[in-house]
Amino acid sequence: MKLKRYRVDSGKKVSLKEFDTRDTGPYEDKEEAAEDLRKDVDRLAELQDVLYARNTHSLLLVFQAMDAAGKDSVIKHVMSGINPQGCQVFSFKAPSAEELDHDFMWRCMKSLPERGRIGIFNRSYYEEVLVVRVHPEYLTAQSLPPEAVKGDLWAKRYEDINNIEKYLVRNGTVVLKFFLHVSKKEQKERFLERIEAPEKNWKFSLTDVKERAHWDEYMKAYEEMLEHTGTSWAPWHVIPADRKWFTRALVARIIIETLEDLDLRYPDLPEKQKAELAAARDVLLHEDSGQPTTGTKGTA
Ligand code: ATP
Ligand code: MG
């Protein structure tokens, strides 16, 4: 699959209209994509095991999207094979009073993945240049000092975000960002489904419909965000999201190729630890014989 065409990392102007939300890449149908996804889910589990064992890097996956684009379902499917101990998901909603009392990065920074882990941000600090940009009145609750709001606040936020991401990357966190690009028409279909299917009613929120009315402003905010924060060290990917089965297959592939590029291997133990392993094996193999072994020499 040609992954580069979904990647934004150059600082060039982005026009979301040029990205086809119905694209299904090389796949003719759902089954083909599901077959690849099954293989990739297994492969991801292997790569995650090495990441955990190596303990030098972590992987941060950031998901942003309009409502009903399928963030939850991508996270559920792509991560379905992973050892739960090696993976953490954080969902960022409207900030609490405590969170508003800190800088905007705070709540996300304290949720970053530890070395060896995959951390997933279901929404993130990017809301600060998206929902807050569309609703600048939210800034009032942030009690920012006057100098912070002087000039181009959004340009300053892009710069801060880029710098922080560079710092994270330099210190071993691989940062991958996904914008799930759903069409306005498909969002409407999914909202209607949430209203009509009783088992989906709980997913429906009136606020989502209110936000939909700001669609064009959101698209503009997303385009600017992609242009200014799609960097070589922390690229964005614009993922077609009208076909959920393609969304999942594509996200899985991008994560796998990124992890494979790291070329991590299981740690090779130093000679001293290898000798300790050999001694431990000796102890285990002889524990029922009552015979002293080389491994217990001096301690038996
Ligand atoms: P779902 O797919 O279930 O709808 P969701 O991620 O949309 O999941 P919700 O609880 O519906 O979760 O919505 C979270 C809301 O919180 C979003 O509308 C989002 O824009 C808002 N939000 C997140 N971060 C901020 C922020 N920093 N300031 C203001 N609002 C925020
Ligand atoms: Mg929502």
Side-chain angles (χ1 to χ4, degrees):
M1 210 179 331
K2 286 204 181 77
L3 301 184
K4 263 202 126 169
R5 56 193 266 231
Y6 303 103
R7 188 175 154 127
V8 178
D9 62 6
S10 64
K12 281 203 203 105
K13 275 227 168 309
V14 175
S15 168
L16 282 171
K17 286 207 180 84
E18 284 163 24
F19 288 83
D20 179 8
T21 55
R22 295 163 66 88
D23 179 22
T24 58
Y27 300 111
E28 293 286 325
D29 62 35
K30 192 172 172 169
E31 252 328 293
E32 275 180 25
E35 182 57 35
D36 275 359
L37 178 62
R38 270 193 289 278
K39 287 186 215 142
D40 277 353
V41 163
D42 291 344
R43 178 72 185 127
L44 190 55
E46 289 169 6
L47 287 163
Q48 191 269 330
D49 202 53
V50 182
L51 182 80
Y52 193 83
R54 192 82 227 180
N55 206 34
T56 50
H57 293 75
S58 56
L59 176 63
L60 175 64
L61 305 174
V62 174
F63 288 93
Q64 288 290 159
M66 295 300 281
D67 285 300
K71 287 183 278 104
D72 291 357
S73 105
V74 170
I75 295 167
K76 178 167 135 188
H77 285 86
V78 175
M79 298 297 150
S80 60
I82 281 191
N83 178 352
Q85 293 204 79
C87 180
Q88 303 144 338
V89 186
F90 293 93
S91 301
F92 296 99
K93 316 259 176 192
S96 68
E98 187 195 18
E99 288 165 351
L100 283 169
D101 243 355
H102 290 268
D103 61 276
F104 75 83
M105 280 286 188
W106 179 74
R107 63 178 181 165
C108 295
M109 292 303 103
K110 68 191 180 89
S111 309
L112 286 168
E114 297 124 294
R115 286 191 205 288
R117 310 298 214 286
I118 297 179
I120 297 170
F121 285 179
N122 183 346
R123 302 189 186 273
S124 65
Y125 43 86
Y126 280 103
E127 290 291 325
E128 293 291 334
V129 292
L130 295 167
V131 67
V132 182
R133 186 157 194 185
V134 172
H135 298 282
E137 65 276 15
Y138 290 177
L139 286 169
T140 314
Q142 299 192 1
S143 307
L144 296 169
E147 57 275 22
V149 278
K150 227 188 264 159
D152 191 342
L153 172 75
W154 315 114
K156 286 191 267 187
R157 286 193 167 180
Y158 296 142
E159 188 185 331
D160 289 339
I161 289 172
N162 287 340
N163 287 338
I164 285 185
E165 288 177 348
K166 184 167 242 176
Y167 160 82
L168 293 176
V169 171
R170 279 180 174 159
N171 285 279
T173 302
V174 177
V175 183
L176 277 183
K177 305 177 297 201
F178 299 98
F179 165 53
L180 307 192
H181 185 24
V182 75
S183 65
K184 197 174 179 190
K185 184 166 168 279
E186 179 65 22
Q187 189 198 51
K188 181 174 169 179
E189 296 301 316
R190 293 185 189 172
F191 281 171
L192 288 173
E193 211 179 305
R194 287 178 178 188
I195 293 168
E196 275 146 29
E199 72 282 5
K200 290 192 178 171
N201 285 171
W202 64 275
K203 286 193 194 172
F204 183 75
S205 142
L206 257 188
T207 326
D208 294 355
V209 178
K210 282 194 197 134
E211 288 313 289
R212 178 179 164 81
H214 297 283
W215 189 274
D216 292 346
E217 293 150 78
Y218 269 108
M219 289 307 111
K220 198 166 166 289
Y222 270 109
E223 285 175 344
E224 291 222 357
M225 174 201 78
L226 292 164
E227 177 187 338
H228 294 285
T229 62
T231 55
S232 56
W233 58 91
W236 273 106
H237 293 86
V238 178
I239 307 290
D242 282 3
R243 301 280 179 270
K244 283 191 170 188
W245 47 269
F246 181 59
T247 310
R248 294 166 195 158
L250 180 58
V251 168
R253 200 82 291 275
I254 292 168
I255 298 172
I256 286 170
E257 294 218 348
T258 305
L259 285 175
E260 284 181 340
D261 283 349
L262 285 180
D263 199 22
L264 298 179
R265 310 277 160 89
Y266 284 105
D268 198 17
L269 293 182
E271 286 309 316
K272 185 166 172 279
Q273 279 185 39
K274 279 190 189 157
E276 283 168 6
L277 286 190
R281 184 211 281 128
D282 220 25
V283 173
L284 291 168
L285 292 176
H286 293 90
E287 68 183 0
D288 294 329
S289 71
Q291 297 295 313
T293 68
T294 47
T296 54
K297 220 185 263 172
T299 57

